[in-house]
C-alpha cells in the first residue's frame, strides 16, 4: 500500500471517505494555500475570505460523505467550484441585505422621473444586448480559448489556477486568453458589434 504522501489529491479524498482522517489532514495542507489565495483574490477581504474558506471545506466534507465526489477531475478544481458557489451565495445575500425600504421620512419622488427611468431601462437593454453578444462571440471561440475566458471572467480564476485546472502551463493559459481576446475583437469588428457596457 502506498504511503499517504505518494497519493494524489483525488486518492486522498477517497481515502478520507473510507475513514482515514490523516488523508484529509494531508489534503487540507496541500490545498489550503491555493484555495485561500483564490478566495481572497475574488472577495478581497481577509475576514470574508476566512469565512468562505471554512464554509467551502464544510460543504466539501459534506459532499464527500454524501458520495457526491467523483475522481473525474482535479480535486482542487472541484474545491474551487464549491468556493465559487459559496462566494456567489454570499454576494446574493449581501445584495438582498442592501435593499432599502422607504419610510415616512424618505422622499424618493425624484427617482420617479420618466427621463431617469427611460435612461435606466435603455441602459439595461443595451447592457443585456452587449452581454448576449459577448456570450454569442464566446461560443464561436475554439474550445480551449472559450474555456479560459469562462474560467477567468465568469469564475474569476487566476491564470495559475486556470493552468492547474486545465493541466497546461501558465504561458499556455495566457496565450489562449490572448488569442481569445484577439478573436473576440476581430469578430466584434467583423459583425459591427459594440462590446462596451453603458
Amino acid at each position: 500500500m502506498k504511503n499517504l504522501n505518494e497519493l494524489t489529491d483525488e486518492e486522498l479524498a477517497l481515502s478520507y471517505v473510507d475513514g482515514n482522517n490523516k488523508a484529509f489532514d494531508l489534503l487540507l495542507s496541500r490545498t489550503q494555500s491555493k484555495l485561500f489565495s483564490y478566495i481572497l483574490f475574488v472577495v478581497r477581504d481577509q475576514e470574508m475570505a476566512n469565512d468562505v474558506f471554512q464554509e467551502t471545506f464544510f460543504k466539501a466534507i459534506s459532499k464527500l460523505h454524501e458520495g457526491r465526489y467523483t475522481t473525474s477531475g482535479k480535486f482542487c478544481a472541484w474545491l474551487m467550484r464549491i468556493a465559487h458557489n459559496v462566494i456567489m451565495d454570499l454576494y446574493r445575500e449581501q445584495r438582498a441585505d442592501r435593499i432599502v425600504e422607504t419610510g415616512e421620512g424618505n422622499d424618493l419622488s425624484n427617482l420617479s422621473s420618466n427621463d431617469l427611468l427611460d435612461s435606466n431601462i435603455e441602459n439595461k437593454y443595451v447592457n443585456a444586448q452587449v452581454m448576449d453578444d459577448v456570450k454569442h462571440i464566446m461560443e464561436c471561440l475554439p474550445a480551449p480559448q472559450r474555456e479560459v475566458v469562462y474560467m477567468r471572467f465568469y469564475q474569476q480564476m487566476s491564470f495559475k489556477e486556470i493552468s492547474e485546472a486545465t493541466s497546461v502551463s501558465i504561458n499556455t493559459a495566457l496565450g489562449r486568453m490572448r488569442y481569445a481576446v484577439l478573436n473576440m475583437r476581430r469578430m466584434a469588428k467583423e459583425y459591427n458589434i459594440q462590446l462596451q457596457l453603458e
Side-chain angles (χ1 to χ4, degrees):
M1 185 173 164
K2 285 184 182 177
N3 179 335
L4 280 182
N5 290 321
E6 296 171 359
L7 298 178
T8 65
D9 292 349
E10 294 72 32
E11 291 170 328
L12 285 172
L14 295 177
S15 180
Y16 170 65
V17 170
D18 290 338
N20 187 343
N21 288 332
K22 287 184 180 179
F24 181 78
D25 294 342
L26 183 56
L27 195 56
L28 177 62
S29 71
R30 282 186 188 176
T31 57
Q32 67 184 357
S33 176
K34 194 182 305 180
L35 181 65
F36 188 79
S37 297
Y38 163 69
I39 294 168
L40 187 59
F41 176 78
V42 175
V43 301
R44 300 185 187 277
D45 178 87
Q46 186 84 24
E47 191 174 322
M48 187 185 296
N50 285 325
D51 292 344
V52 170
F53 179 82
Q54 289 175 15
E55 180 70 14
T56 298
F57 264 97
F58 174 76
K59 288 191 180 228
I61 290 167
S62 297
K63 288 176 188 290
L64 285 168
H65 285 295
E66 292 166 4
R68 293 170 51 198
Y69 171 73
T70 58
T71 57
S72 58
K74 297 267 186 196
F75 180 78
C76 194
W78 181 72
L79 271 181
M80 282 191 278
R81 279 193 300 276
I82 294 172
H84 173 79
N85 292 337
V86 170
I87 292 166
M88 292 301 107
D89 289 344
L90 187 67
Y91 285 154
R92 282 187 206 103
E93 286 173 17
Q94 286 178 345
R95 195 174 12 195
D97 289 343
R98 289 187 183 137
I99 294 173
V100 177
E101 297 285 333
T102 58
E104 286 182 29
N106 291 338
D107 179 17
L108 301 178
S109 60
N110 62 332
L111 296 179
S112 64
S113 159
N114 286 338
D115 293 339
L116 180 62
L117 191 59
D118 290 345
S119 171
N120 287 339
I121 290 171
E122 182 182 345
N123 287 348
K124 181 179 174 183
Y125 284 118
V126 168
N127 290 345
Q129 183 61 51
V130 168
M131 293 310 292
D132 193 48
D133 290 342
V134 168
K135 187 176 178 186
H136 180 71
I137 289 174
M138 262 182 65
E139 290 169 359
C140 296
L141 291 172
Q145 292 175 20
R146 185 174 60 245
E147 180 180 44
V148 170
V149 170
Y150 179 80
M151 289 178 161
R152 183 75 179 120
F153 292 107
Y154 288 88
Q155 293 188 318
Q156 291 87 37
M157 292 172 71
S158 71
F159 284 106
K160 182 179 181 200
E161 292 160 342
I162 291 169
S163 74
E164 290 166 355
T166 57
S167 301
V168 298
S169 71
I170 291 178
N171 286 341
T172 300
L174 287 166
R176 287 178 180 173
M177 176 59 81
R178 180 176 175 269
Y179 286 116
V181 169
L182 290 173
N183 284 331
M184 290 177 76
R185 284 182 181 159
R186 179 186 49 78
M187 285 186 272
K189 187 174 182 181
E190 198 174 302
Y191 297 108
N192 198 24
I193 296 172
Q194 177 69 28
L195 296 180
Q196 187 171 340
L197 296 174
E198 293 294 322

